[in-house]
Amino acid sequence: MTPALLGLLFAACAAPPEGMIWVEGREFTMGSTHADAPENERPAHHVKLDGFWIDATEVTNAQFKSFVEATGYVTLAEKEVDWEELKKQVPPGTPKPPTEMLKAGSMVFTPPKPDARININDVGGWWAWTTGANWKHPEGPDSSIDDRMDHPVVHVAFEDVLAYAKWAGKRLPTEAEWELAARGGLASKKYMWGDEPANEDAPRCNIWQGSFPAKNTLKDGYLRTSPVRAFPPNGYGLYGMAGNVWEWCSDYYRADAYKKLASGGKVLVNPTGPPDSWDPNEEIPATPKHIIRGGSFLCHITYCESYRPGARRGLTPDTGMSHTGFRCVKDREGP
């Protein structure tokens, strides 16, 4: 019996890890082939991966609570900001912020008033640093997750998700693993479900409906996060791979990663991403970014159509936001 056949037999016979789905290893086309795709999603290139287990859903508030109760873990958003670390990420000479701005907190989506004048290029119009915002209080100290235990945990920084994954005996997916899983068996399609654009009258995932960012018609039923199984799964049985919350991956983010990785024309085998990070939109060098994938409840075709399987973005590891979560993967055990 060949090793490959033996591996398939083991995967079929072994009891699956609770809440996880097996994604069989294969070769696939990674990246976007569509003419309107952003530059950082091109060129499409061939990747070959070994099989892996992946969480069927994003990690929920209930699951993260179990981790915190078992370990006493404190997330980054629950700690006061270290100015000595923060000033490394801002232009030299930037004055120290007021003490209030250095208290524990996180970035929260704060929609502007419907009649407000909006500069779509200024994200400060709908994001606000909120003291007391963290995974237990997604919109600030007066909010709660008591009725959102089946929603994805948010306000988790990169170090937080690594800690959870280690405790759970898992790891974060590579960018390639995430995309293979998100495609659900559909090759080179623009969206997780095919090539048809999102339909606001028949929502397929939790994204923005109406006019972003001031008016959400709530046709999908949610202004912010939704339960992790609120929408149908993809072809692999995975929920929430489009919209709801961005998901951390292990790779560093480079805007030109695909150009560099695909330049040799060879099939990339189990790629783990570039050795460093680069974002041309940054005016000064910043803390290296990691990949986030899948888009969020804030995505809209007129602003951020990132609920596509090829969409990719970078986020600094110390950043927790009210639309960022994660799911984990696990390697096959045994032969």
Side-chain angles (χ1 to χ4, degrees):
M1 183 178 293
T2 66
L5 184 58
L6 184 62
L8 288 175
L9 180 63
F10 178 85
C13 297
E18 183 178 358
M20 304 190 84
I21 300 290
W22 174 255
V23 176
E24 186 177 335
R26 68 193 65 195
E27 184 176 321
F28 77 108
T29 300
M30 183 175 179
S32 297
T33 58
H34 306 280
D36 58 349
E39 194 70 19
N40 70 345
E41 299 174 21
R42 295 183 286 172
H45 50 286
H46 295 289
V47 172
K48 185 177 181 179
L49 296 178
D50 294 334
F52 55 93
W53 295 99
I54 185 167
D55 289 339
T57 72
E58 294 141 338
V59 173
T60 65
N61 285 317
Q63 291 172 313
F64 200 79
K65 182 180 179 183
S66 295
F67 158 61
V68 170
E69 289 178 343
T71 63
Y73 187 83
V74 178
T75 63
L76 189 60
E78 297 172 271
K79 303 174 183 177
E80 291 194 355
V81 177
D82 184 344
W83 169 240
E84 294 304 314
E85 286 299 317
L86 180 61
K87 71 181 182 182
K88 297 175 184 178
Q89 305 173 38
V90 297
T94 299
K96 184 177 180 179
T99 301
E100 183 68 21
M101 294 293 294
L102 297 178
K103 291 183 178 179
S106 190
M107 297 295 290
V108 174
F109 168 63
T110 308
K113 295 180 180 180
D115 59 350
R117 297 184 64 181
I118 300 168
N119 177 0
I120 200 67
N121 295 314
D122 180 14
V123 298
W126 55 88
W127 283 103
W129 175 264
T130 305
T131 299
N134 55 54
W135 74 273
K136 293 180 287 188
H137 306 287
E139 289 80 58
D142 295 331
S143 63
S144 169
I145 59 171
D146 290 349
D147 61 349
R148 288 183 265 182
M149 297 307 291
D150 60 347
H151 286 226
V153 65
V154 293
H155 294 297
V156 281
F158 192 71
E159 65 186 58
D160 302 328
V161 302
L162 289 181
Y164 176 94
K166 182 178 181 180
W167 170 78
K170 303 176 184 180
R171 60 178 174 81
L172 288 185
T174 65
E175 183 177 18
E177 288 171 334
W178 192 97
E179 184 169 329
L180 173 61
R183 292 190 176 278
L186 298 179
S188 301
K189 298 297 183 180
K190 186 171 185 178
Y191 303 101
M192 312 286 185
W193 52 83
D195 285 322
E196 308 81 19
N199 184 340
E200 292 195 358
D201 293 322
R204 298 175 183 265
C205 58
N206 180 12
I207 55 178
W208 190 274
Q209 292 92 41
S211 177
F212 183 83
K215 183 179 180 180
N216 191 329
T217 61
L218 302 179
K219 286 189 175 182
D220 64 4
Y222 305 100
L223 175 63
R224 298 178 188 271
T225 60
S226 62
V228 293
R229 295 177 184 265
F231 297 89
N234 71 3
Y236 291 155
L238 301 172
Y239 293 83
M241 300 300 288
N244 210 13
V245 295
W246 286 95
E247 300 181 16
W248 286 105
C249 294
S250 60
D251 306 38
Y252 281 125
Y253 171 75
R254 281 194 67 97
D256 60 354
Y258 288 4
K259 290 181 179 179
K260 290 179 174 292
L261 293 173
S263 60
K266 298 180 180 179
V267 175
L268 302 177
V269 179
N270 295 321
T272 56
D276 55 12
S277 173
W278 175 69
D279 187 338
N281 295 318
E282 293 175 343
E283 296 181 359
I284 60 170
T287 302
K289 294 181 176 180
H290 285 271
I291 286 287
I292 54 174
R293 285 292 206 122
S296 78
F297 61 83
L298 294 179
C299 283
H300 188 268
I301 193 170
T302 64
Y303 175 69
C304 167
E305 199 186 16
S306 292
Y307 44 89
R308 298 171 294 102
R312 54 198 302 269
R313 180 176 294 183
L315 187 66
T316 52
D318 56 355
T319 301
M321 305 179 79
S322 59
H323 71 339
T324 307
F326 71 111
R327 75 179 71 212
C328 298
V329 299
K330 186 179 179 69
D331 295 317
R332 186 188 69 217
E333 298 175 352

